[in-house]
mmCIF file of all heavy atoms in Angstrom:
data_model
loop_
_atom_site.group_PDB
_atom_site.id
_atom_site.type_symbol
_atom_site.label_atom_id
_atom_site.label_comp_id
_atom_site.label_asym_id
_atom_site.label_seq_id
_atom_site.Cartn_x
_atom_site.Cartn_y
_atom_site.Cartn_z
ATOM 1 N N PRO R 271 85.700 85.644 98.338
ATOM 2 C CA PRO R 271 84.515 86.147 97.555
ATOM 3 C C PRO R 271 84.938 87.314 96.631
ATOM 4 O O PRO R 271 85.803 88.141 97.007
ATOM 5 C CB PRO R 271 83.504 86.514 98.608
ATOM 6 C CG PRO R 271 84.302 86.824 99.816
ATOM 7 C CD PRO R 271 85.474 85.860 99.737
ATOM 8 N N PHE R 272 84.250 87.421 95.488
ATOM 9 C CA PHE R 272 84.481 88.577 94.608
ATOM 10 C C PHE R 272 83.782 89.783 95.063
ATOM 11 O O PHE R 272 82.678 89.692 95.573
ATOM 12 C CB PHE R 272 84.053 88.173 93.160
ATOM 13 C CG PHE R 272 84.318 89.284 92.170
ATOM 14 C CD1 PHE R 272 85.631 89.511 91.752
ATOM 15 C CD2 PHE R 272 83.314 90.027 91.617
ATOM 16 C CE1 PHE R 272 85.909 90.526 90.848
ATOM 17 C CE2 PHE R 272 83.578 90.996 90.654
ATOM 18 C CZ PHE R 272 84.905 91.228 90.310
ATOM 19 N N VAL R 273 84.409 90.929 94.959
ATOM 20 C CA VAL R 273 83.865 92.205 95.393
ATOM 21 C C VAL R 273 84.042 93.218 94.256
ATOM 22 O O VAL R 273 85.054 93.190 93.542
ATOM 23 C CB VAL R 273 84.562 92.730 96.640
ATOM 24 C CG1 VAL R 273 84.028 94.060 97.111
ATOM 25 C CG2 VAL R 273 84.495 91.722 97.757
ATOM 26 N N GLN R 274 83.083 94.133 94.099
ATOM 27 C CA GLN R 274 83.293 95.260 93.222
ATOM 28 C C GLN R 274 82.542 96.463 93.761
ATOM 29 O O GLN R 274 81.622 96.287 94.601
ATOM 30 C CB GLN R 274 82.791 94.927 91.786
ATOM 31 C CG GLN R 274 81.414 94.497 91.637
ATOM 32 C CD GLN R 274 81.072 94.101 90.204
ATOM 33 O OE1 GLN R 274 81.896 94.176 89.306
ATOM 34 N NE2 GLN R 274 79.884 93.626 90.002
ATOM 35 N N TYR R 275 82.903 97.631 93.319
ATOM 36 C CA TYR R 275 82.333 98.846 93.837
ATOM 37 C C TYR R 275 81.892 99.868 92.727
ATOM 38 O O TYR R 275 82.616 99.977 91.717
ATOM 39 C CB TYR R 275 83.349 99.633 94.685
ATOM 40 C CG TYR R 275 83.743 98.934 95.997
ATOM 41 C CD1 TYR R 275 84.999 98.350 96.135
ATOM 42 C CD2 TYR R 275 82.848 98.870 97.062
ATOM 43 C CE1 TYR R 275 85.329 97.705 97.318
ATOM 44 C CE2 TYR R 275 83.179 98.283 98.246
ATOM 45 C CZ TYR R 275 84.437 97.665 98.380
ATOM 46 O OH TYR R 275 84.791 97.018 99.523
ATOM 47 N N ASP R 276 80.725 100.475 92.937
ATOM 48 C CA ASP R 276 80.408 101.683 92.194
ATOM 49 C C ASP R 276 80.976 102.827 92.984
ATOM 50 O O ASP R 276 81.542 102.684 94.050
ATOM 51 C CB ASP R 276 78.905 101.812 91.928
ATOM 52 C CG ASP R 276 78.071 101.838 93.130
ATOM 53 O OD1 ASP R 276 78.670 101.990 94.313
ATOM 54 O OD2 ASP R 276 76.857 101.761 93.034
ATOM 55 N N GLU R 277 80.779 104.051 92.476
ATOM 56 C CA GLU R 277 81.390 105.220 93.158
ATOM 57 C C GLU R 277 80.898 105.369 94.577
ATOM 58 O O GLU R 277 81.674 105.566 95.522
ATOM 59 C CB GLU R 277 81.071 106.501 92.385
ATOM 60 C CG GLU R 277 81.700 107.715 93.049
ATOM 61 C CD GLU R 277 81.488 109.035 92.309
ATOM 62 O OE1 GLU R 277 80.954 108.959 91.140
ATOM 63 O OE2 GLU R 277 81.831 110.079 92.831
ATOM 64 N N ALA R 278 79.576 105.237 94.785
ATOM 65 C CA ALA R 278 79.019 105.413 96.138
ATOM 66 C C ALA R 278 79.532 104.340 97.093
ATOM 67 O O ALA R 278 79.898 104.643 98.294
ATOM 68 C CB ALA R 278 77.513 105.390 96.089
ATOM 69 N N GLY R 279 79.619 103.096 96.616
ATOM 70 C CA GLY R 279 80.083 102.006 97.404
ATOM 71 C C GLY R 279 81.524 102.213 97.764
ATOM 72 O O GLY R 279 81.981 101.925 98.892
ATOM 73 N N PHE R 280 82.356 102.641 96.829
ATOM 74 C CA PHE R 280 83.783 102.924 97.054
ATOM 75 C C PHE R 280 83.960 103.965 98.127
ATOM 76 O O PHE R 280 84.706 103.794 99.062
ATOM 77 C CB PHE R 280 84.459 103.347 95.726
ATOM 78 C CG PHE R 280 85.865 103.877 95.957
ATOM 79 C CD1 PHE R 280 86.895 102.989 95.956
ATOM 80 C CD2 PHE R 280 86.093 105.259 96.107
ATOM 81 C CE1 PHE R 280 88.245 103.468 96.120
ATOM 82 C CE2 PHE R 280 87.397 105.701 96.289
ATOM 83 C CZ PHE R 280 88.440 104.819 96.306
ATOM 84 N N ARG R 281 83.255 105.088 97.951
ATOM 85 C CA ARG R 281 83.414 106.165 98.890
ATOM 86 C C ARG R 281 82.978 105.797 100.340
ATOM 87 O O ARG R 281 83.614 106.180 101.311
ATOM 88 C CB ARG R 281 82.624 107.416 98.411
ATOM 89 C CG ARG R 281 83.185 108.006 97.120
ATOM 90 C CD ARG R 281 82.577 109.378 96.827
ATOM 91 N NE ARG R 281 82.998 109.920 95.535
ATOM 92 C CZ ARG R 281 84.198 110.506 95.353
ATOM 93 N NH1 ARG R 281 84.998 110.671 96.343
ATOM 94 N NH2 ARG R 281 84.503 110.999 94.171
ATOM 95 N N PHE R 282 81.945 105.021 100.398
ATOM 96 C CA PHE R 282 81.491 104.538 101.710
ATOM 97 C C PHE R 282 82.478 103.595 102.339
ATOM 98 O O PHE R 282 82.858 103.741 103.527
ATOM 99 C CB PHE R 282 80.121 103.882 101.622
ATOM 100 C CG PHE R 282 79.560 103.485 102.956
ATOM 101 C CD1 PHE R 282 79.020 104.476 103.821
ATOM 102 C CD2 PHE R 282 79.639 102.130 103.416
ATOM 103 C CE1 PHE R 282 78.501 104.064 105.045
ATOM 104 C CE2 PHE R 282 79.164 101.805 104.647
ATOM 105 C CZ PHE R 282 78.611 102.760 105.455
ATOM 106 N N ALA R 283 82.995 102.631 101.565
ATOM 107 C CA ALA R 283 83.951 101.672 102.057
ATOM 108 C C ALA R 283 85.209 102.395 102.525
ATOM 109 O O ALA R 283 85.809 102.005 103.562
ATOM 110 C CB ALA R 283 84.273 100.635 101.007
ATOM 111 N N LEU R 284 85.703 103.379 101.748
ATOM 112 C CA LEU R 284 86.872 104.122 102.162
ATOM 113 C C LEU R 284 86.584 104.908 103.391
ATOM 114 O O LEU R 284 87.428 104.967 104.324
ATOM 115 C CB LEU R 284 87.310 105.015 101.030
ATOM 116 C CG LEU R 284 88.627 105.763 101.228
ATOM 117 C CD1 LEU R 284 89.821 104.838 101.460
ATOM 118 C CD2 LEU R 284 88.875 106.717 100.007
ATOM 119 N N ASN R 285 85.437 105.480 103.525
ATOM 120 C CA ASN R 285 85.057 106.285 104.684
ATOM 121 C C ASN R 285 85.028 105.434 105.934
ATOM 122 O O ASN R 285 85.334 105.903 107.048
ATOM 123 C CB ASN R 285 83.700 106.965 104.455
ATOM 124 C CG ASN R 285 83.325 107.888 105.553
ATOM 125 O OD1 ASN R 285 83.885 108.957 105.693
ATOM 126 N ND2 ASN R 285 82.407 107.458 106.408
ATOM 127 N N GLU R 286 84.597 104.173 105.796
ATOM 128 C CA GLU R 286 84.504 103.242 106.926
ATOM 129 C C GLU R 286 85.921 102.796 107.429
ATOM 130 O O GLU R 286 85.995 102.312 108.532
ATOM 131 C CB GLU R 286 83.739 101.992 106.490
ATOM 132 C CG GLU R 286 82.258 102.239 106.345
ATOM 133 C CD GLU R 286 81.587 102.548 107.676
ATOM 134 O OE1 GLU R 286 81.311 101.569 108.463
ATOM 135 O OE2 GLU R 286 81.311 103.730 107.937
ATOM 136 N N ASP R 287 86.935 103.013 106.653
ATOM 137 C CA ASP R 287 88.290 102.665 107.006
ATOM 138 C C ASP R 287 89.027 103.902 107.494
ATOM 139 O O ASP R 287 89.591 104.648 106.681
ATOM 140 C CB ASP R 287 89.003 102.037 105.780
ATOM 141 C CG ASP R 287 90.339 101.431 106.114
ATOM 142 O OD1 ASP R 287 90.994 101.900 107.050
ATOM 143 O OD2 ASP R 287 90.778 100.496 105.400
ATOM 144 N N ALA R 288 89.031 104.051 108.763
ATOM 145 C CA ALA R 288 89.626 105.295 109.336
ATOM 146 C C ALA R 288 91.100 105.401 108.988
ATOM 147 O O ALA R 288 91.589 106.538 108.633
ATOM 148 C CB ALA R 288 89.466 105.325 110.871
#
Side-chain angles (χ1 to χ4, degrees):
F272 183 70
V273 180
Q274 57 185 356
Y275 293 108
D276 59 11
E277 181 178 353
F280 170 87
R281 293 191 185 280
F282 184 78
L284 184 60
N285 186 73
E286 287 293 281
D287 188 331

